Amino acid sequence: MQFSRRELPRRRLSESTQPRPLHALFSDLKFALRSLVKSPAFTLVAVATLALCIGANSAIFSVVNAILLKPYPWPGSERLVYVSDVFPKLGGSNVGNTSIPDYIDLRAGVPSFAETVLISGFSANLSFDGNPERVYGITATPSLFSLLQTQPALGRGFTDAEAEPGAARTVVLNDAFWKARFAGDRAVIGKTLRLNGELYTIVGVMPEGFYFPSLRAQFYVPYAFTPEQKSDEQRYNQFSTALARLKPGVTLATAQREIDAVHRGIRERLPSAREEYEATGFGSAVAGYLETNVEDVRAMLWLLQAGVAAALLIGCANVANLLLARASARSREFAIRSALGAGRGRLIRQLLVESLVLFLLGGALGLLVASWSLGAVNALGVGNLPRGFGVSLDARVFAFTLLSALGTGLAFGALPAFSSTRGNAAEALKSAGARATAGRRQLWLRGALAVTQVALSLMLLATSGLLLRSFQRVQEVSPGFSTDHALTAALSLPASRYPTPEKRAAFAAQLTERLAAIPGVTAAGLTSALPFAGGNPQGGYQIEGYDPGPGKPNPNGMIRQVSAGYFKALGIPLLRGRLIEPADTLGRENVVVIDRYLAERYWPGQDPIGKHVSRGGGATQGNGKWTIVGVVGTIKHWELDQEVKKETLYFPYQQTPNAGFTVVVKTATEPAALIAAIRDAVRAVDPDQPIFDIKTMEARLDESLQRRRAPMLLLTIFAGVALVLASLGIYGVLAFSVAQRTSEFGIRMALGADRRSILQLIVGQGVRLVGLGLVLGLGGYFALSSFIKTLLFGVAPTDPTTLIGAPLLLALVALAACLLPARRATKVDPMVALRTE
Amino acid sequence: MTTDNSSLIKLESVTKVFLTDEVETHALSGIHMDIRKGEFVSIAGPSGCGKSTLLSILGLLDTPTDGTYVLNGRPVQGLTLPERARIRNREIGFIFQSFNLIGDLTVYENVELPLTYRGMPSNERKQRVTEALEKVGMGHRAKHLPSQLSGGQQQRVAVARALAGSPAVLLADEPTGNLDSKNGDAVMELLHSLHKTGSTIVMVTHDARFARHSERTIHVFDGRVVEEQVESDPTR
Ligand SMILES: Nc1ncnc2c1ncn2[C@@H]1O[C@H](COP(=O)(O)OP(=O)(O)OP(=O)(O)O)[C@@H](O)[C@H]1O
Ligand SMILES: [Mg+2]
């Protein structure tokens, strides 16, 4: 260890030259600490309340911070935007989907873009040490590294030449993948990785802590556009995600204007595109990257933060109550101090310092509480929210905690400080009557605090009640299929070993046969896109004999390829005609099963069986004409709380066999017990074929509820805490009032008041406070209800159960809190009326 | 003077023992006492001899440890708490040394309080309160708060409160203790005139000068009645 040679000239400041305010502050601090130590019970209760409330706030803020506020781990992330193709006239939004030719035009034609990238997900089978494994990476144009302004820590990024079709394959690894797979070996550059049977040369490793677009991505490979992909034919084939970094100072609106200009150019240049533009309102839209990613949870998280902040205010009000009680017990001390010449400012400062010490202590412990509760918050499912993995206590959370402690300390410390030093010393030194008036002023303040507590609690209770009921309602929604005893697992057939439709069809046929033969399996099938599993391929199609009319788009639906056993395995009901059968194979008549939504949309009141639909493009074989043979029930594919707004078409997998699919087995026994048997069945058909994403259907549906569940549970917890704190507040104000009025109750009893009338007096006081709080709380609740409304499902803010239940619960708990001090008041000995001081 | 011969208060062998921290304090030890309707009785004695304890038993604020107490021909032991409260309210008027007005209530409301507990209709209450306040000369201060009155005025309001309900007996514990001599005299004059119109008054006092207003003084020492003295020439 080495210190600087130069000694700083240090001179001890003598007492007399020490700046006086600092000296005074120091002595205030010393006095504050001493007086807090002297009343350990008070200090303990106050600090514990504050630690819990501030800690909960910091915990939630660390969630808000990680999800909504923290920038991504690369420079300029706040200027990153999605550039998405949109079809306003088709309805719905497709975040981040762009076709290759549109991307090329926008990259060249929008001056506001500093850099752009086109990316696409890339799941691959990794053969490593003979074990097939499923890995996930990103296909990205070489501009990725300059877009994110981050270069690999080891090696290099992609060259433009590597993004040409036919170029040697290269890959850049993410740090975690590199450490897990290659033990952080720096000599990894130049080695190869076998993905989907192809060799990729490792050219770079990204820095530690970097991730893009999510933690899930393990590696990056170059995005090579084939001439066919670049052609205008592909303009509406949007399957990649375009991102751009705006130049500094450029607004979204400016970028959008430039984008619109590019589209006007395309439209003029391509007469053939004009019709599509007309029919669909086609164009591109720009939207903030972070904002879009967290759109679904933003309102809910802010609501949560507001809720926990309300709980903090309620807790602070309790502490203020304690401070008031302390101050009033010390009013004689203050009177004497002031008679001895202490100015009011001096007294206020001393009280403020004392409260600040208390609140800062609470804040410091609150950080501990927050760090402990992060685990619990994660366990409630916050980690599964977008960006939820990054929840941690960082500098920003520390600053937030400090500010919360200081802010609440100043605000709530000021109340008792100012209120208890008001009025003159002579008055305070006089007994009886004067003290009664000082008590009354405090009582008023305490009453106001209690009313606020009740109001805030009611708002919290009612809101959490609404979320709870929404959650119930969502859970009650039927997805249209049965999740019961259904186990699912994904496969992806590599093109190297399954290059032809025939080979894929044969694999699938063998696999489903083996799956169905597993003891305990009652049905087995597969689908190209499982509901509640993320993917949702859609596409345009034509209906024979149906003309959308000039300027109207062709029908567009959700496209699935499914095997014969799929409907049975998932319990999707057949409504008309027949299901897909094993005999619907390549070379046989092309058939399709449609859902009820399609049938009712295009053939209301008619029988669609035997009608035809056709699909263009290379996705289909034969003449692209398909005969409708059956109608099944409509199912939800995405979220339980979203209405089905699009039809689904089920094509036989055997007639359109694609590479990726998910198998579904219905079991008679516990589904998880069959995982090994399913693995064996896959291995029996192809020992090199990995399966991944093995989950019960139940679990998948449950995950889709996560977005609602975690905030709902947290808010319910806060509402419960608020309820307890508020009733403590009511208790406190009444207990104080009873203590203040002991002699009054003695007089009243001496004059013939019986217990009931004393009880009524106190309970009446409580009822007035609670009633006023409830009225104000309902007002606040309705003022906020338009905001809450967007977070609800199946219930309105005027939901009678909530509107009656929440105030009733609060009133009952508050009443119980009144009874204790009220009973104490009835126990007052009437003899106190006789005793003089 | 309207004294009749019927007994209003009759104590027989009343004792009161306080038990605090294992220490027994014999505040009263075998008190016999008989007070007739319309009497004005003083209770005198040194500090700590049990005067206030005696008065609180008379006022049903406390119960004797032993002995019997018959009020208005009715034994009071075994009464329930609500019954005791009811008797306090209807038969007894209290005047305390420290006035004991309720600071949050106006003069009018303070006087009205015992009538409210009685469930009296408001117009009758109004009439009684006004009458009582007039009697003590405080009618013009009905809307004031106690803190706006002098000590003597506060005590006069307390007297009004005690007599508004026309109780069978007025119990006063050192009603002049917190007052200067001028105000004290005024309050004594008030009690004296009340007695003349027929009220029964039991008053605890230190002051021999005030004791002379009464017809009879009971001297208490160490929880016992040691002497009864009939004022030969009370200043009437
Ligand atoms: N609640 C109580 N608990 C215990 N001891 C009590 C209680 N009330 C009174 N005493 C005791 O009983 C005795 C009589 O008290 P009391 O108040 O009747 O005296 P007093 O004659 O009214 O005195 P003073 O003239 O000072 O008012 C005293 O020794 C007192 O300490
Ligand atoms: Mg006494």
Side-chain angles (χ1 to χ4, degrees), chain A residues 360-379:
Chain A
L360 287 176
L361 221 61
L365 288 178
L367 272 179
L368 280 183
V369 171
S371 77
W372 290 329
S373 53
L374 279 191
V377 167
N378 259 327

Side-chain angles (χ1 to χ4, degrees), chain A residues 706-725:
Chain A
Q706 209 66 263
R707 187 168 57 84
R708 280 184 184 279
R709 181 189 288 114
M712 181 268 299
L713 286 176
L714 283 170
L715 203 70
T716 307
I717 292 173
F718 299 149
V721 170
L723 183 65
V724 172
L725 289 176

Side-chain angles (χ1 to χ4, degrees), chain A residues 747 750-751 833-836, chain B residues 40 52 55 59 61 92-101 136 151-152 154-164 167 169-177 179 187-188 190-192 194 199-204:
Chain A
I747 300 165
L751 296 178
L834 276 179
R835 284 191 205 117
T836 49
Chain B
F40 187 165
S52 296
L55 205 69
L61 292 175
I92 293 162
F94 279 106
I95 303 163
F96 305 101
Q97 177 178 342
S98 51
F99 325 144
N100 276 343
L101 298 177
V136 302
Q154 289 191 39
Q155 191 62 304
R156 277 195 271 158
V157 173
V159 172
R161 180 176 66 186
L163 59 87
V169 58
L170 281 177
L171 301 179
D173 193 349
E174 313 242 10
T176 57
L179 300 174
V187 168
M188 282 317 296
L190 187 58
L191 289 182
H192 186 73
L194 287 173
S199 294
T200 312
I201 300 174
V202 179
M203 174 181 77
V204 166

Side-chain angles (χ1 to χ4, degrees), chain A residues 18 315 334 345 454 566 666:
Chain A
Q18 205 157 17
F334 296 139
V454 171
Y566 174 69
K666 185 82 156 184

Side-chain angles (χ1 to χ4, degrees), chain A residues 831 835, chain B residues 18 20 25 27 45-54 174 206:
Chain A
M831 296 269 286
R835 284 191 205 117
Chain B
F18 291 109
T20 35
T25 309
S47 178
C49 69
K51 305 183 294 289
S52 296
T53 307
L54 178 58
E174 313 242 10
H206 273 123

